[in-house]
Amino acid sequence: MSNSVVSVVARFLDEYSSSTPNRLKLVDSYLLYILLTGALQFLYCLLVGTFPFNSFLSGFISCVGAFILGVCLRIQINPQNKSDFLSVSPERAFADFLFAHTVLHLVVINFIG
Amino acid sequence: MLRAGLISLVLFGLVLGAHSLTPSYHLSPTDVARLEAFLNQPLTDLESAYYSIVGLNKLGTRVSDEKHACQFLKSQLDHSSIDSLFFAAEASQALSGCEIPVSNETRDILLAAVSEDSTVTQIHRSVSALASLGLPLASQEVVSALATRITKEDNVLAITLALQTASRLSQQAELGGILEEIEDLAARLDDLGGVYLQFEEGLEVTALFVTAAYALSDHVGMEPPLKEDQVIQLVNSVFSKKSWSSLAEAFSVASAAAAFSNNRFHIPVIVSAQGPATVSHRQPVLQLLVTNVLSQSLTSASVQAESARAVSTKSVVLNQAPFTLREESFELNFMDSQPASGYYEFTVAVSGDSRFVANQVELKVKVSTEVGITNMDLSVVDKDQSIGPKTTRVEYPNKAKGSFTADSHQNFALSFQLVDVNTGVELTPHQTFVRLHNQKTGQEVVFVAEPDSKNVYKFELDTAERKSEFDSMSGTYALYLIVGDATLENPILWNVADVLLKFLDEEAPSVIQSKNLYVPKPEIKHLFREPEKKPPTVVSNTFTALVLSPFLLLLILWFKLGANISNFSFSPSSILFHLGHAAMLGLMYVYWTHLNMFQTLKYLAILGSLTFLAGNRMLAQKAVKRIAAEQSCRLAKYRSLR
């Protein structure tokens, strides 16, 4: 059983490193970074306490929001999804990404206190 | 069937009519004295002299120095001014033996003022001056001038002055039109709570209206169209103010008071009791003062008590009993009817003059009496009733000899009766208390003694039941009986006996602290909200480093993937875009440290639009390059296939 899981994971990693375009790998590494940052913030909150609760919330929401926006960007610039996003060019996707991030940062900074 | 209904309706109306309004305010003798003193101010100018002299005249008194006043008028008189002539003429009329010299020019000036072009005030003053100086005037011309002016100046004061002017004209003139104005003005009065009736312009105008309306009605001989209730409400409005802000206001009140006391149609009657409305055996006579609004006694009236009804039992004690006039007051010996003590509703009717208004009055009269205590028995009753009670009789106001003991086996009991000394009837006053007072500790406990069905008061003290009220303090207590009521002339505080109370389980402290409510209470210390405990700096710093560490990982990954900026085109739009974007991120930091949302939005709007324009251009250029690259790639593939 564990054997099959390991083999599936290994196969997945192989496929990923070979068939994914470089651009998408960049975005994936960005997503991993955001994920780790959010997880570490949550760990701090669990261990030490929620003292400046608004700051914790703002930081965590920032990570979650950035992750979601990153995922949206990845979906939209993936050439395999081109048929679903005929009207959205990769540049347009990136511009949307930047604009949404501006709004997210505004809210996060407001809440961070 | 219908007729019976009609009759009952009429009767119903009559019954309602019986409860008419009575004046709440009038000028008491002190008020009249105050008004006279206020009006009797030293003469400064003609107008104030007019108010003082004529006002005092209306109240029936004179200025202190008449000759000086007359000379003052003559010296201050300006023969060319209508106002000056008016004040001097009216005031001289009020003084005895004061004549203002009049010349032809004066007469001409006054007559010339009577025209449609002068204001109502000017017409009023010139007509009054002409009338007071005994000069002839053309009444019909005045009437037509007034009629024209009334339509132009439609305010209350103007119409009031027109009424006053009309009262000085000849009776042959056509005064009907102006007379109708009284009714129109009366409709403009404001009814305040059913008690007051006044113009919104204020007290002075209302009082002047009253004076003018009655002056004109008397002159013409027609009753003014004011209902009884309205007359009383006017009385309330004019006399509710007891100190006057100006001479003019005081003058108007004096004029109105004179009008109400002395006109041909309505005389408001004030009925009040002289002193407290209380009757007793020592003072059996009920004295009433029946006066007009100036507190002048109406000795010509005949006063009768229509009925006197007991408030508690609703039984009628007196019917159609006349009051007799003695000096200035009306008297009735109420104790002749032998009323029981309590409160009585008197309905008093004042007759004798058809002009009397509010001549049916309801008065509440108290009949008080003296109370006597009979059959006061003190006894010590055994709880298990094995030994018979020992009863001691005590006579008021003596104190019982020897003391009584009440402890766990014995109760202390007390019974007595309260009777009316004069009639022998049993009484149940409002306050019948038994007070026990410990002289040593100062404790005081009060109980209520209740009457039973036969009006015998009983009180029983059980030490076991009542120990909480006494704080279980044993000792000798002085026992007092307190009897009081509004209708009793002799309230009683009687030290009946000394009672020795013995309580079991003396848990009480030896010194009883008096329950002092007014000592300072312990101070309340406010606890400010403690700031939450912050984790130690080491922990925070560690976690900050930890949270920032994935960024390093990102850089490493990107480096491994081969991300580079070799494709960076140094076009102005891309430089501008990157700068603008960096500035926006910097603005975020500044927002966190210094700014508020509004300022940030302002800067963000500027930077954002710049960045957007630059970014749009840059991305468009990139898109063009990408599409060109894709097309050339496709072209190359196509060519290679061929």
Side-chain angles (χ1 to χ4, degrees):
Chain A
M1 187 61 179
S2 57
N3 223 0
S4 56
V5 171
V6 170
S7 63
V8 163
V9 168
R11 174 92 192 283
F12 168 72
L13 284 174
D14 269 336
E15 281 259 1
Y16 176 78
S17 48
S18 58
S19 62
T20 329
N22 230 9
R23 194 177 272 191
L24 293 183
K25 282 196 195 150
L26 281 178
V27 179
D28 285 338
S29 50
Y30 168 73
L31 291 177
L32 178 69
Y33 152 67
I34 295 286
L35 187 76
L36 284 177
T37 312
L40 283 170
Q41 284 187 341
F42 192 67
L43 184 72
Y44 170 86
C45 179
L46 281 181
L47 287 181
V48 187
T50 64
F51 165 49
F53 192 54
N54 59 313
S55 311
F56 159 69
L57 274 184
S58 115
F60 193 67
I61 297 283
S62 159
C63 290
V64 169
F67 188 82
I68 292 170
L69 290 174
V71 167
C72 289
L73 179 69
R74 189 189 192 280
I75 292 175
Q76 286 181 332
I77 64 175
N78 196 347
Q80 287 172 329
N81 294 341
K82 200 148 180 192
S83 55
D84 293 326
F85 296 103
L86 281 175
S87 62
V88 182
S89 62
E91 287 76 25
R92 170 73 195 279
F94 184 65
D96 285 342
F97 174 78
L98 284 181
F99 175 69
H101 257 291
T102 310
V103 175
L104 177 69
H105 285 157
L106 197 66
V107 171
V108 160
I109 297 290
N110 185 33
F111 201 52
I112 205 163
Chain B
M1 176 70 167
L2 205 66
R3 197 189 263 180
L6 208 64
I7 290 174
S8 58
L9 200 68
V10 169
L11 281 175
F12 183 64
L14 281 175
V15 166
L16 276 185
H19 292 277
S20 56
L21 202 58
T22 52
S24 323
Y25 299 98
H26 65 285
L27 290 177
S28 68
T30 37
D31 294 330
V32 174
R34 196 180 322 120
L35 185 57
E36 284 175 9
F38 188 74
L39 283 171
N40 206 354
Q41 288 186 9
L43 311 170
T44 47
D45 63 353
L46 260 187
E47 187 169 351
S48 59
Y50 161 71
Y51 289 134
S52 298
I53 298 171
V54 181
L56 285 170
N57 189 37
K58 298 227 181 205
L59 291 175
T61 51
R62 306 249 148 218
V63 194
S64 28
D65 190 350
E66 288 208 330
K67 277 184 89 169
H68 166 72
C70 192
Q71 277 172 341
F72 180 81
L73 291 176
K74 287 187 191 157
S75 65
Q76 292 278 323
L77 175 59
D78 174 9
H79 281 268
S80 56
S81 150
I82 297 175
D83 297 335
S84 177
L85 284 165
F86 164 70
F87 292 135
E90 295 282 286
S92 68
Q93 207 54 10
L95 295 168
S96 57
C98 188
E99 289 268 349
I100 303 283
V102 172
S103 64
N104 277 349
E105 286 94 29
T106 321
R107 190 194 53 181
D108 291 335
I109 293 171
L110 289 172
L111 282 172
V114 177
S115 82
E116 287 173 7
D117 304 315
S118 327
T119 63
V120 177
T121 315
Q122 286 172 319
I123 300 178
H124 165 244
R125 290 187 172 178
S126 49
V127 169
S128 306
L130 284 167
S132 297
L133 293 170
L135 298 168
L137 51 85
S139 296
Q140 202 51 46
E141 267 183 46
V142 179
V143 171
S144 51
L146 281 177
T148 324
R149 290 312 301 179
I150 286 175
T151 50
K152 286 199 197 142
E153 292 176 62
D154 193 31
N155 60 68
V156 173
L157 185 60
I159 304 178
T160 305
L161 288 176
L163 294 173
Q164 191 71 42
T165 317
S167 70
R168 308 298 291 266
L169 300 174
S170 142
Q171 284 174 331
Q172 273 74 43
E174 280 286 319
L175 299 173
I178 300 189
L179 195 65
E180 281 169 10
E181 295 293 336
I182 301 182
E183 197 167 352
D184 291 341
L185 270 190
R188 285 157 82 154
L189 287 160
D190 295 325
D191 186 329
L192 301 177
V195 177
Y196 302 101
L197 199 62
Q198 59 194 51
F199 288 112
E200 64 179 9
E201 284 86 349
L203 167 64
E204 194 180 330
V205 173
T206 312
L208 287 175
F209 164 69
V210 167
T211 317
Y214 281 108
L216 185 57
S217 303
D218 282 355
H219 187 65
V220 169
M222 283 191 55
E223 187 175 347
L226 294 168
K227 294 195 270 283
E228 266 200 36
D229 280 357
Q230 287 181 307
V231 175
I232 301 303
Q233 286 178 309
L234 282 168
V235 167
N236 286 340
S237 295
V238 173
F239 301 118
S240 60
K241 192 169 175 188
K242 300 297 188 180
S243 77
W244 305 278
S245 49
S246 65
L247 262 184
E249 196 176 60
F251 169 75
S252 68
V253 171
S255 310
F260 275 127
S261 336
N262 202 1
N263 67 71
R264 284 159 66 179
F265 303 102
H266 303 138
I267 305 277
V269 168
I270 317 282
V271 179
S272 56
Q274 186 155 24
T278 309
V279 177
S280 65
H281 278 270
R282 268 177 289 159
Q283 214 179 42
V285 176
L286 178 65
Q287 287 180 315
L288 292 183
L289 278 176
V290 178
T291 67
N292 60 17
V293 292
L294 279 174
S295 295
Q296 290 162 340
S297 197
L298 296 170
T299 47
S300 61
S302 62
V303 183
Q304 197 180 58
E306 303 263 306
S307 73
R309 188 185 297 267
V311 168
S312 46
T313 60
K314 303 266 186 278
S315 61
V316 178
V317 175
L318 204 59
N319 228 326
Q320 311 286 342
F323 280 75
T324 48
L325 173 65
R326 204 169 76 95
E327 287 167 14
E328 299 253 307
S329 56
F330 290 85
E331 292 186 345
L332 172 70
N333 189 328
F334 189 37
M335 292 312 278
D336 283 345
S337 332
Q338 284 163 345
S341 68
Y343 288 92
Y344 291 83
E345 280 278 349
F346 266 70
T347 311
V348 177
V350 179
S351 50
D353 193 328
S354 55
R355 297 176 296 170
F356 286 156
V357 169
N359 52 352
Q360 277 255 18
V361 185
E362 307 236 326
L363 276 178
K364 204 163 188 173
V365 178
K366 178 169 84 172
V367 176
S368 51
T369 183
E370 290 169 13
V371 71
I373 309 178
T374 59
N375 306 338
M376 168 66 93
D377 290 326
L378 304 170
S379 43
V380 175
V381 183
D382 213 61
K383 267 205 192 146
D384 31 353
Q385 319 240 300
S386 52
I387 313 166
K390 283 178 293 179
T391 312
T392 317
R393 171 150 295 192
V394 193
E395 292 290 330
Y396 177 72
N398 308 318
K399 188 165 159 176
K401 297 191 234 319
S403 84
F404 298 80
T405 314
D407 55 25
S408 53
H409 309 295
Q410 294 156 322
N411 288 348
F412 175 76
L414 153 56
S415 86
F416 57 95
Q417 272 182 300
L418 298 172
V419 291
D420 186 335
V421 162
N422 300 302
T423 61
V425 171
E426 281 146 359
L427 290 177
T428 48
H430 290 154
Q431 298 171 325
T432 46
F433 301 136
V434 174
R435 171 178 174 246
L436 288 147
H437 176 77
N438 186 333
Q439 266 121 359
K440 256 193 291 167
T441 62
Q443 277 170 289
E444 179 185 77
V445 186
V446 182
F447 299 100
V448 179
E450 306 259 333
D452 64 11
S453 52
K454 291 202 269 283
N455 282 340
V456 177
Y457 280 87
K458 286 203 166 59
F459 167 69
E460 197 161 318
L461 179 63
D462 184 346
T463 49
E465 257 181 71
R466 301 279 187 196
K467 66 175 184 208
S468 58
E469 268 122 349
F470 289 93
D471 284 331
S472 299
M473 281 295 288
S474 306
T476 310
Y477 287 79
L479 185 125
Y480 292 86
L481 177 68
I482 303 174
V483 177
D485 190 89
T487 57
L488 289 182
E489 302 221 310
N490 60 336
I492 290 177
L493 175 66
W494 177 24
N495 187 355
V496 183
D498 286 328
V499 182
L500 178 64
L501 295 179
K502 289 210 188 90
F503 295 96
L504 299 171
D505 340 311
E506 195 161 326
E507 323 120 335
S510 51
V511 178
I512 299 284
Q513 277 165 326
S514 58
K515 290 194 176 84
N516 201 348
L517 296 169
Y518 304 108
V519 294
K521 298 251 191 330
E523 189 181 332
I524 305 171
K525 295 236 177 320
H526 179 81
L527 269 174
F528 286 100
R529 206 182 84 175
E530 307 270 337
E532 281 191 42
K533 273 188 62 190
K534 285 197 277 212
T537 328
V538 181
V539 178
S540 311
N541 289 344
T542 320
F543 270 96
T544 311
L546 210 59
V547 162
L548 290 174
S549 59
F551 188 63
L552 282 169
L553 179 68
L554 178 72
L555 289 175
I556 294 169
L557 281 174
W558 274 358
F559 182 69
K560 274 184 69 182
L561 284 169
N564 51 36
I565 54 170
S566 56
N567 214 8
F568 189 70
S569 57
F570 281 91
S571 60
S573 48
S574 68
I575 294 177
L576 204 61
F577 165 76
H578 282 101
L579 281 177
H581 192 224
M584 273 165 55
L585 292 174
L587 179 67
M588 288 296 140
Y589 175 76
V590 176
Y591 173 32
W592 182 38
T593 49
H594 297 297
L595 302 173
N596 63 36
M597 180 64 104
F598 300 106
Q599 294 166 311
T600 316
L601 283 178
K602 189 172 60 176
Y603 295 132
L604 198 65
I606 303 167
L607 284 174
S609 41
L610 271 173
T611 314
F612 170 72
L613 290 169
N616 196 20
R617 170 80 71 83
M618 179 194 81
L619 286 174
Q621 288 170 348
K622 271 206 146 34
V624 163
K625 263 197 243 169
R626 177 178 55 88
I627 289 172
E630 274 175 16
Q631 279 196 333
S632 63
C633 188
R634 227 180 287 140
L635 211 58
K637 223 191 271 181
Y638 178 63
R639 282 220 188 94
S640 66
L641 277 175
R642 275 184 62 200

